[in-house]
Structure formats: structure tokens, C-alpha cells
Amino acid sequence: MQYVMLVRVDPDLAGTVEIDDVEPWVEEGSRTGMRREGRPVDEPATATTVRVRDGEVLLSDGPFAETKEIVAGYDLLEAPDLGTAVDYASRHPVARIGALEIREVWNDFVPDREGGLPPTRTEGRDYLFLHVPDPAVYRSIAPEGLDPTEWVRRVEDKGVTLGGARLREADDGTAASVRARDGEVLVSRGPFAELAEQIAGVDLVRAADLDEALALAAAHPTSTIGAIEVRPFPA
Amino acid sequence: MSTGDALARAFADEWGRVVASLVRTTGDWSLAEDAAQEAFAAAATAWERDGVPRRPGAWLTTVARNRALDRLRRGAVERSVLAEQAAAMEEGGDVDPIEPDDVPDDRLRLIFTCCHPALALEARVALTLRTLCGLTVEEIAHALGASEAATAKRLVRARQKIQRAGVPYRVPSGAALPERLGGVLAVLYLLFTEGYAPSSGAAVVRPDLSAEAIRLATVLARLMPDEPEVLGLLALLRFQDSRRAARTGPAGELVPLDEQDRGRWSPESIRAGEEALAAAERRTAEPGFHLRQARIAALHARARESGRVDRAAVAEEYAALRRLSASPHLALAHAVAVGLADGPDAGLAMLEDLPPGPLGATLPAARADLLRRAGRTAAAADAYRAALVLARTGPERAFLARRLAEVGG
């Protein structure tokens, strides 16, 4: 199974609790083959949120919402089951100052491209897109109602995608959230009561600058039924 | 001209240009501002001693560039990327004074980057005042009614976002231009109105911000001479500014447009407004948002000579404006214009449909004014009282209280 692990940091705790270096955790993942890739994103103050309403692109400065635990990076995990992924995640140092949100990748959502991928751009800045659809709208329409396949093909043609994943809904038993507080590991499964809006997918793009990244986000169907949070990776 | 005058003039003319050029060559906003600041400080001493140079702009650009170069060299050990840029800057061996004509005017890029929609609106305003107008953090904080610490933090965050999120330093092209230009004009207009009618506080007019907005609009019109909306904004600001002296009474109270002493309207500003308006109208057959507003302002300004306002024409312009924007403020202005053109009842009927929330005190104040004109004094008094509850600034409240007393409330 593939899982996207969203690394979330609670800014209040980050200022008060000292945490260990992440390197040993990364090394463990490389050794066991459990961690495929992962990168930290830049601070939330560098985020831009994109919405499209009635054909008009609406931008706002900052992350999608002032949720308590802000996304600080992602990792792609490969594990036989959710329990194994949770066990590995529980040793991540950020568990003490935030949460590791583990979400199963919905692998067959966008069919694989026939005939291989065009080459990816070598120059540019990398951005993480966090797809945050409005929960009510998201549940009221069939998945094909916001089929991103056409968008994915377009970014593949342009050579600006570095990958992406649609995530299974967090409340169907495929997801978990891991925290460590006072030396105790806390795992919550199933519905994330604290999150009204769920991240429904992630995309990694390589754009010339923020304008191009925002234009790519505005062209994605999620921006019309919710928002896309655009986060730069540190240069 | 004294050294002080020459410096003040050079500051107004050259600050934005010097910063814009350094932002392009170094990519570092803080460095650009610091180097410009140092160049002006150096000018204060050097010009006093040696006299004002023949080309103050060239002098300042050269000194600022050398200061930036020095700083890059000093920091070169740990900042290798910038060191490369320093080397690139050095290649030209630029020890000779730089002629302004040799340097492309980068202010247009700077304007578009400062007003980028990925920045918060308050950050756009603060950044424009800092980098383009050269206001200090203290001045910006005072002008916007914010604390110095909050303003400084806002500026740091905005610069960081520009650099780290990759906000491009360029003028948008093609389909993106009209929308982005609209955003730039909105920031300039906001600057002007913050100077003209601050959203809170006691004083009615904060002259500096209005003057800065007019100066920036003039620069923008020079850099984009074929954009009717830029000329339209410039005309609008000029017309509104022409009434500055007549807008407040001896005790600092607000004087409404139709009670103003038109003899105190500035004929120079009106002439400048008419010029910009004519230039804008020559360039388009379909007036946009700012050009339409400039036409309304012109209809009022012409009353200085003719003694009367063409009310029907004003109402028509508002009707056209409402086809361009769904703003409730515009709908309110339209209703008032119709009330003045076709009689208070026509305007009052239109006010019925407006949402009370976003309009604040302006909605009951407009209703009160039309009721007063219709001679319904008791209803007018009630509406003035409702407006007084919602009014935010001292002058606004003083005006409403005076009206309330006039209708016997």
C-alpha cells in the first residue's frame, strides 16, 4: 500500500519543545524501503490559496485555513498495511510537536498514461498543491464530477508535474493521525473530528514562478469546488 | 535651489527608480532599500559640500549601486549566490556615473510586484509606500493607523514571500494584464482614499498619502501611456483632489459636495483632471471602471464654472458603472444620483433593495439625506440617528449630528 504522510506542525508546540533531528528516521525508511520520497515545504507565510468562483480567480495570502497543525512537508510511504505505517510514523520527531497524518493513496484514480511520460522540466521552482474541496460539495458529487485526468495529462504534456496523488477519504478507515505527547503515542483512526475540511489530494509541480504555479492551480477542478493551497518548497 | 530642496525633489523623483533598478540587478529587496537609503544619506553630505550634481538621479543610482556592491562583497563568503550576482554586476566595470537613460525604468515591474494579488492587501499598500514612495516604516504605520512593529513585520513578511514563493519581478503580459492592472489601480485608489478619507480617526485629510497616490498614478500614466484606465484613475484622483481645500470647514468638519465653496476648488487640479480624462477618452470607445468614475467626477468639477451639475448625466454614468461592478457602494451611489436627478422618492425606492451589512452608516445616511430633501423631517431624523450609531470617524459623526439638529431631531 502507498500512503501519503502529511507532516503537520503545531506552531505553539514548535516554539517550546525541542525535537531530535529527522535524519535517523529518514535513514530507517531508506533501509527498510518504507520511505520512498519526501520534502519539507516553506513556512506557511509563503503560501497562497487559490479559488475559482464564477470563472474568476480569487487569491488569498497564506494557508487555506488557520488550522492548528499546519502542513510542513510530506512523505510518500510504502507499507504492507496502515498499522505498519503508523508504527513507522510514530518515531518521526514531529510527532511530539504536531501530527503525522497518514492517508492511503487512491492509486487507480487517474489511469496511467500510455506510452510513457514526456520529459520533466529541469529548471524552475517546485511547489506543493494541497487540494481542499468543500466537504459538502465533495460528497454531493460523484468522483468523476471532478475528474482531474485532463489536468494531469496537460501538466504531463507541459513537463511541469513531479507527481501527485489522490487520497482516499479520511473517514473510511484507511487513515490515521499520529501524535506523541508526554512520552505516549496517540493514534486516532477514522474520522478526523478536528478537521472539517480534508486534504483530498496532493500535486507536485515545477513552475517558472509563482504566477505559473497559480495558473496551474486555477486550472485544476478542485479550485472550483473548494481551494488549492500552493506551498513553495525551499529553494 | 537649496541642497534640502534638491534632495527632497530627488527623493520624490528618484527613490522608486533607484530601488527598482537595484531589485532587478540584485534580486534582494531589503538590500535595494538599504542601499537607496545610504545613497540619499550620502547625498545629504556630499551635495552640501560639493554642490548639487548636474544629474542627481545618475549620482544617486551610481552611489546606491556601489553601496549594494560593497554589501554583496562583504557578505560574499557565506552568500555565494548573491556573490555571483555581484560578479555579474561588476563585469561592466561600472565606476563611471550611470546615466538614467542607460538604465531601463524598472518602476513598472516594481509596481506590479508590490501590488501582486498573492500578497495581502495591507501588505501591498505598505510595500508600495515603502519601496516606491520611500516612506519610512514609522510614516507608513502612522498613515495607515497601525503600530510600527506590526508594519515592520508586515513588510518583512511580504518581502520574504516575494522571494521565497517566487513572485515574479515583471509586468504581466497578454490576458493577465488587464486583471493585474485593475489590482494595481485599486491599490493606488485605496492609498488616495486613505489619505483623503481615512477609515478611522479624527482628521479628515491625510495629505501625504493622497499626494503619493497622485504621484504614482502620474508615473504609471507615463510608463503605460496607452492605458485608458490608468489615465482614468489619474483624472479621477485629480478631480477629487481639486476639492481638498473645500472639503473641510474651519473646525475640521466635513462639508458635503453640494455645500462646498466651489471657489475653493483648485482650477489647476481640475485642468489636470480634464487633460487626463480627454487623453483617456481618445484611447477607448468603451470606458472602463475608473474612466467612468472620472467622468462623474468631471461632471461635478465642471460646476465650478457653470454653477450647476448635470444630474441626469451623473445618474446615467452610475447606471453604466453598475454594469461593470456589483459593488453595493456603487448601487448606493446610483440610488442617490437618481434621487437627485429624478426626485428623492425614486432614489429612496432604489435604496430599499440594498443590503444593510456592508454599507454601514452610509445606507441610513443616504436615506436620511433623501428624506430630508423630500421634506419628511421626522423620518429623516430617525435615519440620521441610525447612521450616527454606525458612523466610525469623528468628522462623519459631527456632520450627521449637525444634519440631525437641522431636521429638528
Side-chain angles (χ1 to χ4, degrees):
Chain A
M1 287 294 186
Q2 280 193 319
Y3 298 92
V4 164
M5 185 181 89
L6 296 166
V7 180
R8 291 179 175 273
V9 172
D10 180 341
D12 294 341
L13 290 177
T16 55
V17 179
E18 288 277 314
I19 59 166
D20 297 333
D21 199 81
V22 77
E23 264 321 300
W25 184 87
V26 170
E27 274 163 29
E28 181 193 339
S30 308
R31 199 171 58 244
T32 59
M34 217 145 40
R35 180 179 178 274
R36 289 303 167 93
E37 59 172 81
R39 289 165 83 177
V41 289
D42 211 329
E43 286 174 23
T46 61
T48 306
T49 299
V50 182
R51 291 175 181 81
V52 175
R53 298 291 182 272
D54 301 322
E56 200 184 336
V57 180
L58 309 169
L59 303 179
S60 52
D61 181 34
F64 166 73
E66 298 297 326
T67 43
K68 198 160 153 45
E69 291 162 334
I70 305 258
V71 173
Y74 82 96
D75 291 273
L76 182 65
L77 307 182
E78 178 86 46
D81 51 51
L82 183 60
T84 313
V86 165
D87 178 57
Y88 176 45
S90 69
R91 289 190 289 283
H92 194 289
V94 167
R96 296 184 56 211
I97 58 163
L100 288 317
E101 180 183 327
I102 303 167
R103 303 283 303 277
E104 191 181 311
V105 174
W106 193 339
N107 260 329
D108 49 0
F109 198 86
V110 174
D112 282 342
R113 188 189 179 99
E114 286 171 29
L117 280 176
T120 306
R121 248 185 220 175
T122 51
E123 296 278 310
R125 284 169 178 269
D126 295 351
Y127 298 86
L128 179 69
F129 288 4
L130 298 167
H131 297 271
V132 196
D134 179 86
V137 180
Y138 192 51
R139 282 184 190 130
S140 71
I141 55 176
E144 60 267 26
L146 36 69
D147 185 359
T149 306
E150 196 190 318
W151 183 87
V152 171
R153 294 290 175 260
R154 212 172 333 143
V155 292
E156 285 170 354
D157 290 342
K158 287 175 111 169
V160 295
T161 179
L162 304 170
R166 175 58 61 118
L167 307 175
R168 291 205 179 274
E169 282 193 66
D171 53 3
D172 66 357
T174 61
S177 198
V178 184
R179 293 176 181 81
R181 300 287 187 274
D182 305 321
E184 208 178 324
V185 175
L186 312 165
V187 180
S188 56
R189 291 211 187 193
F192 294 85
E194 73 272 26
L195 288 177
E197 274 92 6
Q198 291 176 5
I199 291 173
V202 294
D203 272 290
L204 284 88
V205 302
R206 178 163 292 166
D209 52 38
L210 185 65
D211 279 357
E212 193 188 15
L214 297 176
L216 290 170
H220 193 286
T222 312
S223 63
T224 62
I225 59 153
I228 296 177
E229 184 178 316
V230 176
R231 301 286 299 271
F233 288 102
Chain B
M1 200 178 354
S2 77
T3 307
D5 290 346
L7 262 174
R9 187 158 167 198
F11 193 80
D13 292 344
E14 304 295 342
W15 170 274
R17 197 191 269 259
V18 171
V19 172
S21 150
L22 287 173
V23 168
R24 180 174 52 81
T25 46
T26 67
D28 185 330
W29 287 59
S30 310
L31 175 73
E33 284 169 20
D34 291 347
Q37 197 96 56
E38 284 181 23
F40 277 92
T45 321
W47 296 5
E48 189 67 57
R49 188 186 58 222
D50 309 330
V52 177
R54 197 171 49 85
R55 313 276 300 264
W59 193 98
L60 288 162
T61 308
T62 308
V63 171
R65 219 165 143 177
N66 289 340
R67 293 294 164 103
L69 207 55
D70 285 346
R71 281 180 175 234
L72 288 172
R73 279 204 206 93
R74 264 183 272 140
V77 183
E78 67 267 41
R79 298 165 80 184
S80 58
V81 178
L82 289 176
E84 272 171 39
Q85 284 160 348
M89 275 173 74
E90 251 183 338
E91 268 168 28
D94 38 49
V95 279
D96 301 327
I98 300 154
E99 294 297 314
D101 295 343
D102 301 339
V103 184
D105 196 328
D106 290 310
R107 278 177 297 178
L108 199 52
R109 303 177 196 223
L110 193 58
I111 291 174
F112 274 93
T113 305
C114 285
C115 298
H116 197 282
L119 302 171
L121 186 59
E122 305 80 37
R124 285 177 236 168
V125 170
L127 205 55
T128 300
L129 288 173
R130 177 74 195 115
T131 59
L132 279 153
C133 305
L135 265 62
T136 64
V137 172
E138 188 187 356
E139 287 167 333
I140 297 166
H142 178 72
L144 301 178
S147 77
E148 259 182 71
T151 304
K153 198 173 159 196
R154 185 170 283 162
L155 284 166
V156 168
R157 271 190 58 164
R159 287 191 210 103
Q160 271 181 359
K161 176 154 185 187
I162 287 168
Q163 289 188 312
R164 285 157 67 170
V167 175
Y169 189 53
R170 68 153 182 262
V171 179
S173 56
L177 183 60
E179 201 183 323
R180 291 283 308 281
L181 181 59
V184 168
L185 298 180
V187 168
L188 296 193
Y189 189 68
L190 185 68
L191 272 185
F192 179 84
T193 51
E194 271 300 311
Y196 199 75
S199 49
S200 61
V204 179
V205 176
R206 294 180 196 174
D208 289 343
L209 287 196
S210 301
E212 294 295 346
I214 289 172
R215 207 158 56 74
L216 282 176
T218 307
V219 169
L220 193 59
R222 212 176 297 138
L223 296 172
M224 305 183 89
D226 294 320
E227 287 292 341
E229 275 294 273
V230 175
L231 290 161
L233 177 78
L234 179 59
L236 173 63
L237 300 189
R238 286 298 207 167
F239 285 129
Q240 292 197 349
D241 196 52
S242 72
R243 303 195 289 262
R244 172 189 295 271
R247 215 172 156 265
T248 45
E253 76 276 16
L254 207 71
V255 182
L257 188 53
D258 56 0
E259 289 177 21
Q260 286 174 13
D261 175 3
R262 288 171 182 159
R264 296 182 70 200
W265 292 359
S266 157
E268 291 79 25
S269 292
I270 293 175
R271 207 173 308 123
E274 291 283 9
E275 266 173 40
L277 179 64
E281 288 182 327
R282 278 198 299 277
R283 283 165 176 81
T284 181
E286 288 174 39
F289 186 71
H290 294 97
L291 181 44
R292 285 270 179 209
Q293 294 201 70
R295 283 160 66 143
I296 294 171
L299 287 167
H300 287 293
R302 284 166 198 157
R304 187 181 193 273
E305 302 303 322
S306 67
R308 60 171 291 276
V309 179
D310 186 343
R311 300 284 182 197
V314 171
E316 266 172 50
E317 288 291 345
Y318 273 114
L321 257 178
R322 285 190 67 191
R323 288 193 285 275
L324 297 174
S325 162
S327 149
H329 297 278
L330 210 49
L332 179 121
H334 184 209
V336 171
V338 168
L340 295 177
D342 303 340
D345 287 336
L348 284 166
M350 288 172 69
L351 287 178
E352 294 288 312
D353 304 329
L354 299 183
L359 292 167
T362 58
L363 182 55
R367 185 177 291 128
D369 188 60
L370 290 176
L371 288 166
R372 179 180 62 89
R373 288 169 193 273
R376 288 149 65 182
T377 49
D382 283 346
Y384 279 124
R385 276 187 212 101
L388 265 168
V389 173
L390 296 167
R392 285 169 63 201
T393 66
E396 213 181 342
R397 264 196 290 275
F399 168 73
L400 291 166
R402 171 166 74 86
R403 278 281 196 254
L404 179 58
E406 282 168 13
V407 294

